Amino acid sequence: MSESMNMITLLLFATMRALIGERKMDLEIQPGSHVRDLRAQLSAQYPHAAQALKATLFSINREFATDEALIPDGAEVAIFPQVSGG
């Protein structure tokens, strides 16, 4: 496989930090990956966090991102649990 991987910095907050056990980590992703691909990759890598990952918010370089958002090489991607208010 000659295609190189993209490297991102992943920041985890609140319950996601507790479930995955890291606050910040470098992660390799396939070039052309979208948020939905990263969500699937993390769910496979951390099956105990898969349910929580379904309801998380992602940001790319400090801007909230949808599942269709493309993740560029070198991006800072943050994962936040959804917050319910009242």
Side-chain angles (χ1 to χ4, degrees):
M1 205 151 115
S2 61
E3 190 173 12
S4 64
M5 302 289 277
N6 284 354
M7 187 66 93
I8 63 169
T9 299
L10 191 63
L11 305 175
L12 301 139
F13 294 91
T15 55
M16 293 314 304
R17 179 186 296 175
L19 285 169
I20 293 180
E22 298 285 344
R23 181 186 71 79
K24 179 179 179 181
M25 58 198 258
D26 293 325
L27 186 69
E28 288 185 333
I29 61 171
Q30 291 288 332
S33 289
H34 295 83
V35 168
R36 68 177 166 271
D37 303 316
L38 177 57
R39 192 185 302 269
Q41 178 180 337
L42 291 170
S43 293
Q45 198 169 347
Y46 302 97
H48 60 281
Q51 189 63 36
L53 280 162
K54 290 179 184 177
T56 53
L57 301 173
F58 283 72
S59 72
I60 300 172
N61 296 327
R62 300 182 183 207
E63 302 229 353
F64 282 106
T66 65
D67 274 357
E68 293 74 36
L70 183 67
I71 303 171
D73 188 28
E76 178 186 84
V77 178
I79 304 176
F80 305 90
Q82 285 197 358
V83 180
S84 60

